[in-house]
Amino acid sequence: MKHLLIVNGLEAPLLRQFGCDCARCADSAPQANTSVSLISLNGRGETAHHILFDIGMAVTDNLFRSPYLAGTRARLDWLVLTHWHPDHVNDLNRLLVSYHLNRIRRQEEPTPVPLWCRSGTADWLQREHAYEWDTYLQPYCSGENQPPGTVLPPLPINLPGVTITPVTVSHYGADRCAQDKQSTCYSCAAYVVETAVAKTVLLWDIDNQNEWLVNPQTEAEETAVRQLSNADYLFIDATFWSVKNKPTTHPGFGNVQRYARVLTPSQTLLVHLSGHPDGRDNEGWGWTNGRWQTEAQKIWIAKNLPGQVTVPSIGDEFVVG
Ligand SMILES: [Zn+2]
Ligand SMILES: [Zn+2]
């Protein structure tokens, strides 16, 4: 079996803003975002297994066009969610309904799609996506509320040679209880995808409060840092260019540099790039992905940070097993 990790994304920069004329919004090229497919091919090159991480807006379009999933090759064996925020679940209805109808047409059993997520995210999905939850999903929830910096048991995916381990992260915009929004309910997970030949870390969404990454205080945090370290590919949330001196729902590129120095990945891939002009001329706002990559690479070299940094594109493929 051969395993490929393929980048999904948006059909426009993240996110075009109604009424904005920045370079990002003017750029019509599709942009990578926080979604990847782990596709396993059998000896005949057929798609034998597909795990989809996050299903944000327009991800379904990427799946329609993927040479590994288009037409009769379509399959969805697992859906894995980092968290419940709309930019990570927006296409749930479109994907699940269309896949369900297509399986009926093919005279296949339209069984619910297995879903793994943290229990805090499950609560939000039941509230905001009750129809999809009740009709099209077979949930496997973590049943815990462990704090950021905790390694959770591997996912029950049963794919030989592949282990997927969730690690809890802090993303305070998502870490709220669905029933009582004043209470904290840790809802977001990063994932470590390991095969015999490669380690990939999907580290999104995170806020700028995950100091345990650079300064682990407990045995659990040290274990979590070890689990995230020395990846061949580190996909990381790099929403802002500038770092702010206050809690923000996403990290700045300065935070990313500190995390990368500790985690020492071979390749750092920046995702979740935002950047609309904020009216205060802050750097990074309005940059295209090309500009982001150029500026990030200058700093990577100047500061002698580990490995290489790039901004991935939709359809980029990484052979991970
Ligand atoms: Zn989020
Ligand atoms: Zn997000």
Side-chain angles (χ1 to χ4, degrees), residues 3 160-163 193-199 232 320-321:
H3 306 289
V162 178
T163 306
V193 181
E194 289 172 288
T195 67
V197 301
K199 182 195 257 196
D232 297 281
V320 295

Side-chain angles (χ1 to χ4, degrees), residues 99-286:
Y99 187 48
H100 178 88
L101 294 174
N102 202 41
R103 279 197 287 181
I104 292 173
R105 201 158 30 235
R106 285 193 216 157
Q107 299 186 333
E108 294 172 6
E109 186 62 33
T111 50
V113 174
L115 162 75
W116 195 96
C117 64
R118 295 192 72 187
S119 297
T121 280
D123 291 343
W124 278 99
L125 289 181
Q126 285 173 79
R127 176 187 161 130
E128 303 204 343
H129 295 270
Y131 171 64
E132 293 83 359
W133 179 273
D134 290 339
T135 314
Y136 301 116
L137 291 168
Q138 171 67 53
Y140 293 80
C141 300
S142 59
E144 48 67 54
N145 186 33
Q146 295 300 306
T150 310
V151 178
L152 300 178
L155 273 49
I157 52 166
N158 198 23
L159 179 62
V162 178
T163 306
I164 301 175
T165 307
V167 177
T168 65
V169 291
S170 170
H171 179 40
Y172 71 79
D175 294 342
R176 291 182 290 146
C177 289
Q179 301 84 0
D180 164 21
K181 294 197 221 39
Q182 307 309 318
S183 304
T184 298
C185 188
Y186 297 112
S187 302
C188 194
Y191 295 97
V192 184
V193 181
E194 289 172 288
T195 67
V197 301
K199 182 195 257 196
T200 304
V201 172
L202 310 176
L203 187 52
W204 72 68
D205 287 356
I206 52 175
D207 59 33
N208 68 344
Q209 304 295 295
N210 285 280
E211 275 305 293
W212 58 273
L213 282 166
V214 285
N215 191 16
Q217 299 289 317
T218 64
E219 211 169 295
E221 290 174 355
E222 282 171 10
T223 304
V225 170
R226 263 198 308 278
Q227 184 66 255
L228 297 168
S229 293
N230 304 319
D232 297 281
Y233 308 108
L234 168 67
F235 289 80
I236 187 164
D237 181 344
T239 297
F240 306 119
W241 180 258
S242 308
V243 174
K244 298 193 178 74
N245 293 323
K246 61 175 186 182
T248 51
T249 52
H250 294 273
F253 186 59
N255 300 112
V256 171
Q257 293 170 49
R258 294 175 70 231
Y259 302 154
R261 203 180 280 292
V262 171
L263 300 177
T264 61
S266 300
Q267 205 170 324
T268 298
L269 299 114
L270 307 178
V271 291
H272 214 302
L273 304 176
S274 185
H276 293 277
D278 62 351
R280 295 189 288 273
D281 292 330
N282 283 325
E283 274 192 308
W285 297 90

Side-chain angles (χ1 to χ4, degrees), residues 83 85 87-88 171 205 250:
H83 65 301
H85 274 163
D87 53 327
H88 301 260
H171 179 40
D205 287 356
H250 294 273

